[in-house]
Amino acid sequence: MKLTRRDALTYSAGAIAMALVGLRGVSAHAGTEETGTAVSGFTGGVEPQSGMITLKAPEIAENGNTVPVSISVDSPMTADDYVESVAIFAEGNPNPEVVVFNFTPLSGEAAATTRMRLAKTQNVVAVAKTSTGKVFMDKREVKVTIGGCGG
Amino acid sequence: MKRVKKAMFASGLLAFTLTLNPAAQADPDDDTLVIDGVEVITSAKGKEDGPLDELYSGWRFRSDETQSFQADDFENPAFVAIDQALEQFEVVEGAAGKACASCHEGGPEEFEGLRAALPRWNADTGKPETIQHIINECRTERMQAEPWKWEANEMLNMTALVGLQSRGMPVDVQTDGEMSPWYEKGKELYYTRVGQLDMSCANCHEDNYGNMIRADHLSQGQTNGFPVYRLKWAGLGSIHRRFKGCMSNIRAKPYKRGSDEFVALELYVASRGEGLAVETPAVRN
Amino acid sequence: MATAKPRVKVPKSASAGDVITIKTLISHKMESGQRKDKKGNVIPRKIINRFECTFNGATVFSCDIDPAISANPYFEFTAKVMEPGTFRFVWTDDDGAVYETEKTIAVS
């Protein structure tokens, strides 16, 4: 690619815009605490363990309007031992709650996929509650890009 | 403040370097588009005298997640519009007491191939016609109903349904004869720098496709998937809406949807994608 | 989009004990309550706030939905089928409207 002076200007303007967005991102951690409150509200105060639950989301989302997200929990899904519900939270959204999936033994598996809105780059958290009172959590950072064209 | 400025300058330089790093996501990817088991080609050889050696569908520039929305007609949110258009096809409207289906007894399938050849010449109006013109001519002339607005949901849905009938067929438009002056006009618009940023379509979509513009992977600006379901719009949009968006982004005053300028540009851009398969309704970011 | 339109994909048949995948999508703007109109007034929230899937009357899967779910909400989940029957899908709108659809499955 040949680089004209104009190209250079365009790109560096873009880079500055990115840098500005980055700065804004650093200062906006207000959601972490609120998310913690929301999580303990969901778990009834039980401290989540890691493992058993897998949260799948893109590392980089091309648009924050529609970000595919999947969860699956390792569970026998029998009447005696099944995943009751999985809640998804987004730390950097205006409100952390995204969705609560409620399963039954008839679900067969504790797995679901949806599409969510992410206001900016942030952590997405999934918390599972089993019928036996166990709580598991997984967390993943999703980078949300802004379009090149003002978008 | 000075330090912040410096920092910004430095990170600007850094991002700038990254942008130029050829390893950093240059070029389209090598993925293959298979929609419910049927492969749809997403690249083609450019014409010998054409501006592009290799043509790539915009699908090839999207992330895996965005790509996968289009690989299954159920997961493609545009298919809600297809369902709605199928219902609309049967709705009687207007003084003539007709629905689309009254004349088009073979159903939407009658329109196989139409999308691939648009815009086409209309001898009656003495102008090229787009899918929107064709649908509205049916509505006003044969149904004696109100025309739909260019970007109305009903229009978007119906253009998606008609377009879908040509999915997989190569784009092939007439550019000679009566279409020639329109083609030339479109070409002139494509290469003319406009707006406060003083950019032409070609600056991004010919000179820099495959490169990153900020965080966005620039495509060739092909129109073979329109109307597209754009994640940013959370809905369908027309080619002319996208043109308007591009023009606003370079701080130019956009032409109007359905204007002669945009019809000419639609023709010229379609001709640049001749050989690419129709993907309507595609999904883009 | 004037009325919400549901779409569902369920296999036509399965063997007893199979875990099948179900996909659902409904056309809906999912107005988050976070956006403002051109005059600066907040556009009131209007979303699908609940979705439920039952099989022969028993709940298989449900969700409680917040405004962070994208427009045209999509849900994919599984169901274990032991006998033939009917899946019933119900979406509930903030305004009280209920959208429903059904699919039958043959189980051998």
Side-chain angles (χ1 to χ4, degrees):
Chain A
M1 168 189 147
K2 258 185 279 170
L3 194 76
T4 63
R5 190 167 149 268
R6 192 183 314 281
D7 287 331
L9 282 173
T10 312
Y11 282 119
S12 51
I16 288 170
M18 271 202 309
L20 283 173
V21 169
L23 288 177
R24 202 172 55 193
V26 170
S27 63
H29 272 304
T32 320
E33 199 178 319
E34 207 184 319
T35 306
T37 313
V39 169
S40 61
F42 174 72
T43 65
V46 179
E47 192 61 33
Q49 301 167 250
S50 60
M52 304 305 273
I53 181 169
T54 309
L55 169 69
K56 252 176 68 183
E59 208 180 307
I60 300 173
E62 276 189 312
N63 190 291
N65 269 346
T66 313
V67 183
V69 57
S70 302
I71 54 92
S72 65
V73 192
D74 208 350
S75 163
M77 294 303 276
T78 59
D80 296 333
D81 183 3
Y82 66 96
V83 175
E84 280 180 350
S85 48
V86 173
I88 299 179
F89 302 97
E91 288 183 353
N93 275 2
N95 298 305
E97 294 85 3
V98 176
V99 69
V100 180
F101 299 126
N102 304 299
F103 299 96
T104 69
L106 282 178
S107 307
E109 287 172 16
T113 298
T114 188
R115 297 164 184 174
M116 63 187 292
R117 292 167 168 153
L118 291 176
K120 59 178 183 189
T121 295
Q122 58 181 287
N123 284 323
V124 177
V125 179
V127 186
K129 258 191 325 198
T130 72
S131 61
T132 57
K134 294 201 174 82
V135 176
F136 300 101
M137 183 169 109
D138 194 13
K139 189 192 263 194
R140 191 160 293 280
E141 190 195 43
V142 180
K143 292 189 177 72
V144 177
T145 63
I146 43 164
C149 292
Chain B
M1 186 64 214
K2 210 171 176 185
R3 250 166 93 183
V4 173
K5 256 189 186 161
K6 247 189 190 161
M8 284 196 326
F9 180 60
S11 62
L13 273 182
L14 178 68
F16 182 47
T17 329
L18 284 175
T19 309
L20 290 180
N21 178 353
Q25 213 185 350
D27 299 332
D29 68 15
D30 291 327
D31 293 345
T32 304
L33 173 58
V34 179
I35 302 177
D36 295 331
V38 180
E39 186 178 342
V40 176
I41 59 145
T42 53
S43 65
K45 278 267 165 277
K47 279 176 284 188
E48 247 174 55
D49 53 347
L52 301 162
D53 295 336
E54 194 71 30
L55 314 178
Y56 297 105
S57 157
W59 186 84
R60 294 280 290 274
F61 297 87
R62 303 282 51 91
S63 73
D64 288 351
E65 288 79 20
T66 309
Q67 287 183 336
S68 73
F69 285 138
Q70 206 186 314
D72 175 333
D73 283 347
F74 193 87
E75 292 184 26
N76 181 340
F79 274 77
V80 170
I82 299 290
D83 280 357
Q84 286 170 334
L86 279 168
E87 281 177 15
Q88 181 71 44
F89 203 81
E90 309 287 334
V91 175
V92 173
E93 271 188 276
K98 286 181 178 173
C100 304
S102 312
C103 295
H104 301 286
E105 291 174 4
E109 292 82 358
E110 282 187 13
F111 301 110
E112 184 179 340
L114 177 63
R115 167 67 178 80
L118 293 177
R120 69 179 181 191
W121 185 249
N122 181 328
D124 294 337
T125 59
K127 284 182 169 190
E129 61 183 2
T130 67
I131 184 67
Q132 290 85 358
H133 294 130
I134 295 171
I135 289 171
N136 268 345
E137 194 199 327
C138 261
R139 288 185 61 80
T140 55
E141 301 301 309
R142 282 171 282 284
M143 296 168 73
Q144 294 171 35
E146 285 296 310
W148 283 326
K149 289 215 168 90
W150 201 272
E151 210 71 36
N153 280 330
E154 292 86 352
M155 179 63 97
L156 289 166
N157 296 350
M158 197 57 75
T159 58
L161 177 63
V162 171
L164 172 65
Q165 312 308 319
S166 306
R167 191 165 69 181
M169 298 173 75
V171 173
D172 184 9
V173 289
Q174 184 197 337
T175 54
D176 57 3
E178 300 98 328
M179 292 294 262
S180 179
W182 291 81
Y183 170 87
E184 292 302 333
K185 174 74 183 160
K187 186 175 179 179
E188 184 194 324
L189 286 165
Y190 193 89
Y191 285 101
T192 303
R193 287 175 179 269
V194 290
Q196 287 178 324
L197 297 189
D198 196 30
M199 289 167 80
S200 75
C201 308
N203 290 146
C204 283
H205 298 293
E206 182 173 309
D207 303 339
N208 278 301
Y209 71 85
N211 289 324
M212 303 299 285
I213 180 162
R214 272 158 87 186
D216 203 2
H217 198 194
L218 272 174
S219 74
Q220 289 182 342
Q222 299 287 2
T223 50
N224 54 313
F226 280 83
V228 299
Y229 187 97
R230 210 172 160 213
L231 302 183
K232 178 181 167 180
W233 296 333
L236 282 174
S238 69
I239 295 175
H240 292 196
R241 179 177 180 189
R242 193 69 193 86
F243 286 166
K244 274 172 75 89
C246 267
M247 291 190 77
S248 303
N249 291 334
I250 56 170
R251 314 279 183 265
K253 187 165 184 281
Y255 298 108
K256 287 194 162 51
R257 291 182 178 91
S259 62
D260 285 356
E261 287 86 354
F262 273 171
V263 171
L265 189 59
E266 180 178 336
L267 169 68
Y268 177 68
V269 177
S271 81
R272 291 173 67 96
E274 280 185 314
L276 284 175
V278 171
E279 284 176 32
T280 311
V283 182
R284 300 289 185 259
N285 61 323
Chain C
M1 295 177 201
T3 51
K5 182 151 180 64
R7 301 186 84 217
V8 225
K9 192 175 181 182
V10 177
K12 287 194 173 61
S13 61
S15 302
D18 278 359
V19 175
I20 58 160
T21 297
I22 295 174
K23 298 176 179 183
T24 70
L25 194 150
I26 189 165
S27 63
H28 198 283
K29 278 189 87 152
M30 296 293 280
E31 191 60 60
S32 67
Q34 299 286 343
R35 298 198 311 153
K36 287 180 178 163
D37 64 17
K38 280 177 183 159
K39 287 178 187 153
N41 302 316
V42 172
I43 305 172
R45 169 186 141 151
K46 187 182 183 298
I47 67 165
I48 299 275
N49 59 50
R50 191 170 161 79
F51 166 74
E52 186 172 22
C53 167
T54 57
F55 183 65
N56 294 343
T59 302
V60 172
F61 171 85
S62 70
C63 35
D64 303 303
I65 304 161
D66 280 281
I69 290 295
S70 305
N72 304 322
Y74 174 88
F75 298 108
E76 186 181 320
F77 53 93
T78 58
K80 188 171 187 171
V81 286
M82 301 307 289
E83 76 269 348
T86 305
F87 284 102
R88 188 177 167 75
F89 305 89
V90 182
W91 291 260
T92 309
D93 196 306
D94 272 349
D95 68 7
V98 170
Y99 314 104
E100 296 173 301
T101 189
E102 289 184 353
K103 283 273 183 213
T104 56
I105 186 167
V107 172
S108 51

